[in-house]
Amino acid sequence: MPAIKSLEELKRVREEALAKKQLKATPGHIQVIVAMGTCGIAAGARDTMKSVLNFIETEHLSGVTVTQTGCMGMCEQEPIMQVVIGDQPKVVYGKVNAEVASQIMKQHVQNGSPVKDYVLPL
Amino acid sequence: MREIALHLLDIAENSVSAGGRNIRMDVLENLQDDLLNVSVTDDGRGMDEETAKRVLDPFYTTRTTRKVGLGIPLLKLAAESSGGGLSLETESGKGTRIEATFRHSHIDRMPLGDVGMTMLTLLVSYPHVNWTFHYEVNGKDGNRQFLLDDKEIKSALGDVPLTEPDVLKFLRGMIEEGIASVTPETVA
């Protein structure tokens, strides 16, 4: 069995994450939800998710929860991604490939301005 | 879906929807016997006999958002097209295990794909689930395996979310290292 990164290292990561969290106050809880039903996965939702996680990692974006949901009944719009910031109404995006996901993360999640071209009129 | 790892993600998603709280994903590349075996086992609500019989029918689904359920039938077709097959064990109230076998060297076998990204996606998206990932390669030079049970990770992290940037980096690195350490002779 190969050795994996140690739990000691993880504890250090935890301490650093806690310290950084105290330094950076987030503007409200941010939730990013990627639809991962069979239709979403087949349309590329895992690449969308990868792009979201890469963005969080490279931009050191703290305080973002990333979750999945199943098929939303709009298979033709997959991959679908939702963004919920604090108490604001959720914004649902369609046709979110990896590149669009990165754009949404930068413009909406990081700077608070929805990417109108991809918002689904619900 | 062109990767086995995407099918695994799809099945695991079903396991979460079925209320699974302990979900295990196994990938076994048995190069000695020329087999690739993948399975997902959950402790969710399982299926009754009638549902289990119909689960391979693409025009049957329990979902209300659409009327087709293509995931498992497509995986079955992919497995059978490469000299393998799919089996389903389920019991109402106990859980479900879905296993697909492929002839490893079969020309029509779809690539295993990015198993690491499938693991990371599930791990961070469903923190309430206890995930166990097991990846084993049985080759000429012996048996190597990577086992990841997220209990210790979550315990060490306490209330720090898995999507914190430094934690994500740690998890990604751990999964990539673990997979790389068991797959040097594997051809996707």
Side-chain angles (χ1 to χ4, degrees), chain B residues 109-139:
Chain B
R109 176 179 70 79
M110 63 172 65
L112 182 54
D114 194 347
V115 178
M117 193 56 214
T118 287
M119 288 181 185
L120 185 66
T121 296
L122 292 166
L123 196 59
V124 301
S125 304
Y126 297 113
H128 63 285
V129 172
N130 172 218
W131 293 102
T132 305
F133 301 114
H134 175 228
Y135 188 175
E136 185 174 335
V137 176
N138 188 355

Side-chain angles (χ1 to χ4, degrees), chain B residues 35-56:
Chain B
L35 288 173
L36 171 59
N37 186 281
V38 297
S39 64
V40 176
T41 310
D42 70 60
D43 61 350
R45 71 178 71 93
M47 295 174 229
D48 58 35
E49 209 172 320
E50 183 61 24
T51 309
K53 273 185 199 162
R54 300 181 67 180
V55 82
L56 296 173

Side-chain angles (χ1 to χ4, degrees), chain A residues 108-119:
Chain A
H108 190 179
V109 174
Q110 208 170 23
N111 297 317
S113 172
V115 182
K116 289 181 183 156
D117 288 352
Y118 295 93
V119 174

Side-chain angles (χ1 to χ4, degrees), chain B residues 9 20 27 58 76 82 94 101 107 109 123 128-129 141 145 154 156 164 166-167:
Chain B
L9 181 58
V27 175
K76 182 172 185 282
S82 59
K94 294 268 174 74
T101 304
I107 194 166
R109 176 179 70 79
L123 196 59
H128 63 285
V129 172
D141 56 343
Q145 52 181 313
K154 286 173 182 164
E164 280 303 296
D166 292 340
V167 177

Side-chain angles (χ1 to χ4, degrees), chain A residues 12-26:
Chain A
R12 183 184 54 74
V13 168
R14 175 181 187 271
E15 297 308 318
E16 285 175 8
L18 280 174
K20 281 179 189 168
K21 223 177 167 182
Q22 281 164 0
L23 287 175
K24 271 194 199 173
T26 45

Side-chain angles (χ1 to χ4, degrees), chain B residues 20-47:
Chain B
R21 287 297 173 266
N22 293 284
I23 305 176
R24 181 183 170 104
M25 181 183 292
D26 286 274
V27 175
L28 170 61
E29 294 199 64
N30 188 339
L31 304 177
Q32 299 285 51
D33 296 333
D34 193 22
L35 288 173
L36 171 59
N37 186 281
V38 297
S39 64
V40 176
T41 310
D42 70 60
D43 61 350
R45 71 178 71 93
M47 295 174 229

Side-chain angles (χ1 to χ4, degrees), chain A residues 90-111:
Chain A
K90 75 176 171 195
V91 179
V92 182
Y93 293 101
K95 309 266 186 198
V96 184
N97 61 23
E99 198 181 323
V100 176
S102 182
Q103 192 185 342
I104 293 168
M105 290 301 289
K106 188 175 181 62
Q107 191 176 315
H108 190 179
V109 174
Q110 208 170 23
N111 297 317

